[in-house]
Amino acid sequence: MNQQLLEKYLWGAATALRGTIDAGDYKQYIFPLLFFKRICDVYDEEFEEALLEMSFQICQLCGMNCREPWKRH
């Protein structure tokens, strides 16, 4: 199976599942998914920043000179 055949098959399956739903109705599903995705991405970014900041603070408290605090010494 090549990519073109796979795309045709998936498009046909999506069309069968979609049925007769109006395109405007999709926004009720898509917008919440996009919003949830954005919330998750922001959480991951902020969590990583907070973890890195905390690891630097721990190194300072322990008296270590850490450039890469996430690695064990």
Side-chain angles (χ1 to χ4, degrees):
M1 177 181 284
N2 61 17
Q3 183 175 352
Q4 187 177 12
L5 184 60
L6 177 62
E7 288 175 0
K8 184 178 178 181
Y9 178 76
L10 291 175
W11 185 260
T15 301
L17 291 173
R18 243 189 329 262
T20 58
I21 298 175
D22 182 40
D25 291 338
Y26 283 109
K27 67 181 177 188
Q28 295 176 359
Y29 302 101
I30 298 300
F31 287 149
L33 287 175
L34 291 173
F35 181 70
F36 182 69
K37 172 74 169 113
R38 179 65 183 146
I39 288 173
C40 291
D41 290 346
V42 169
Y43 175 83
D44 289 342
E45 291 169 4
E46 291 183 3
F47 181 79
E48 187 175 332
E49 289 174 13
L51 188 61
L52 188 59
E53 182 180 330
M54 181 59 74
S55 61
F56 278 121
Q57 290 176 2
I58 289 172
C59 282
Q60 288 175 348
L61 288 174
C62 294
M64 290 187 248
N65 187 9
C66 298
R67 290 190 179 151
E68 297 175 331
W70 53 90
K71 293 183 179 179
R72 290 186 172 195
H73 299 287

